[in-house]
Amino acid sequence: EVQLVESGGGLVQPGGSLRLSCAASGFTFSSYWMHWVRQAPGKGLVWVSRINSDGSSTSYADSVKGRFTISRDNAKNTLYLQMNSLRAEDTAVYYCATVTFDYWGQGTLVTVSS
Amino acid sequence: SYELTQPSSVSVSPGQTARITCSGDVLAKKYARWFQQKPGQAPVLVIYKDSERPSGIPERFSGSSSGTTVTLTISGAQVEDEADYYCYSAEVFGGGTKLTVL
């Protein structure tokens, strides 16, 4: 059974940093490109970032470029999102998903507030 | 970057056909996906490659494409189809459409 489990969310002050993790199981993680998608409370889905299977190619939404870094550890079957210089508008549930969006995690809530 | 435009809401009675559109220039060049999201849940893929249906998705869900517009059609909508629906293409999501079935 395919499982994606996000962790690392929480409350952080503006300007702070947080690293999200997405633990994958039930499929050959190292063969799959992966996405991060976020959803602010009561708002729509927003694509955040994408990484290819070996981590050599990444892509970011303009709103997070230069502040967020996507990475992966295929030996640990884990996807990451390093978030720096956080702003109130980054408050959202963050989901990881496989490249074709067949599988999603349950999401982890990030709240940026003083 | 691209933009995908959806109506904010669509309302139908049970058994009627619901159509949700998504428009954007990128759709003339790239395939679209559609997602269903119910409150408190992660999104679920219901259509990919404009019109393909993943296994386990009911046949009443279908997709079509014409030029710069793709359409999600729910034939004989049921109460349990009430949800938010999002289109996606080329690393962009549409703004979402709230489907009400009552």
Side-chain angles (χ1 to χ4, degrees):
Chain A
E1 178 194 5
V2 172
Q3 277 200 316
L4 296 171
V5 179
E6 300 95 338
S7 61
L11 176 64
V12 61
Q13 292 189 340
S17 298
L18 214 53
R19 188 177 82 157
L20 305 184
S21 299
C22 169
S25 61
F27 66 104
T28 308
F29 177 73
S30 58
S31 297
Y32 281 72
W33 295 31
M34 298 290 294
H35 294 280
W36 285 100
V37 175
R38 70 184 182 184
Q39 186 170 36
K43 302 297 185 182
L45 301 173
V46 175
W47 176 83
V48 172
S49 185
R50 180 268 301 153
I51 189 168
N52 71 345
S53 56
D54 67 4
S56 62
S57 173
T58 59
S59 181
Y60 299 91
D62 288 344
S63 59
V64 307
K65 202 172 294 183
R67 300 187 299 123
F68 289 12
T69 303
I70 190 172
S71 63
R72 64 192 299 158
D73 186 335
N74 286 340
K76 295 183 177 179
N77 288 342
T78 303
L79 174 73
Y80 301 102
L81 186 68
Q82 177 66 43
M83 305 186 295
N84 299 331
S85 302
L86 282 162
R87 306 166 180 166
E89 53 265 35
D90 296 318
T91 294
V93 172
Y94 285 74
Y95 297 98
C96 61
T98 54
V99 66
T100 50
F101 296 105
D102 297 83
Y103 300 103
W104 295 66
Q106 83 290 348
T108 187
L109 176 63
V110 172
T111 303
V112 184
S113 174
S114 55
Chain B
S1 61
Y2 302 108
E3 285 191 5
L4 297 176
T5 301
Q6 300 180 230
S8 58
S9 64
V10 168
S11 183
V12 297
S13 299
Q16 288 188 327
T17 295
R19 293 182 179 86
I20 301 171
T21 58
C22 174
S23 299
D25 290 342
V26 68
L27 298 176
K29 301 175 288 187
K30 298 282 191 179
Y31 286 122
R33 290 180 169 88
W34 287 96
F35 299 90
Q36 175 193 69
Q37 187 182 34
K38 296 181 178 179
Q41 297 183 18
V44 173
L45 180 69
V46 295
I47 294 290
Y48 67 98
K49 282 188 178 179
D50 292 346
S51 60
E52 298 294 320
R53 194 174 52 248
S55 61
I57 301 301
E59 290 184 9
R60 64 181 180 272
F61 289 87
S62 64
S64 61
S65 175
S66 179
T68 59
T69 299
V70 293
T71 302
L72 173 68
T73 300
I74 307 172
S75 303
Q78 301 184 7
V79 174
E80 58 263 35
D81 298 330
E82 188 163 291
D84 293 325
Y85 290 85
Y86 297 90
C87 62
Y88 168 92
S89 185
E91 298 175 348
V92 175
F93 283 94
T97 299
K98 181 175 183 59
L99 175 66
T100 302
V101 182
L102 57 80

